[in-house]
Amino acid sequence: MNGKDCLIIFPGPHAYVSASWYEEKNIVSIWNYTAIHDYGKVTTIENKDEMRQIGLKTSDYFEKRQSKPWKYEDHTEYGEKLLSGIV
């Protein structure tokens, strides 16, 4: 799988847009959305230390805004068990 071409899609915000919001008569309701399509090469990470560091950095980044941030260090035993299931 390493080195193969891949497409990854990042969906963004989306919402229903009612035709009743417009004054024009010949209009229909739509679904408005954004998405980014990105192409690249697959690289798998099998090194558990590297996976752990990615998990730590990711959770620290997103948890810092929480009133009681979740910390990997508080759940190390359980987190280590989950590393083998991460791809």
Side-chain angles (χ1 to χ4, degrees), residues 46-84:
E46 297 179 13
N47 181 292
K48 288 195 181 212
D49 290 331
E50 192 174 352
M51 285 192 288
R52 185 181 304 104
Q53 288 306 311
I54 291 169
L56 286 167
K57 287 179 183 179
T58 302
S59 61
D60 285 349
Y61 177 81
F62 287 103
E63 289 289 332
K64 69 184 173 190
R65 297 181 192 108
Q66 302 298 319
S67 59
K68 292 182 178 180
W70 181 90
K71 292 285 188 187
Y72 182 88
E73 296 83 3
D74 297 336
H75 306 278
T76 305
E77 184 178 334
Y78 183 67
E80 292 298 308
K81 289 178 186 177
L82 296 178
L83 283 178
S84 62

Side-chain angles (χ1 to χ4, degrees), residues 9-23:
I9 301 171
F10 299 94
H14 56 90
Y16 179 78
V17 179
S18 172
S20 67
W21 298 351
Y22 298 93
E23 293 182 15

Side-chain angles (χ1 to χ4, degrees), residues 1-6 40-46 50 54 87:
M1 190 157 178
N2 273 336
K4 290 194 174 193
D5 291 328
C6 70
K41 302 273 185 197
V42 173
T43 302
T44 57
I45 299 169
E46 297 179 13
E50 192 174 352
I54 291 169
V87 178

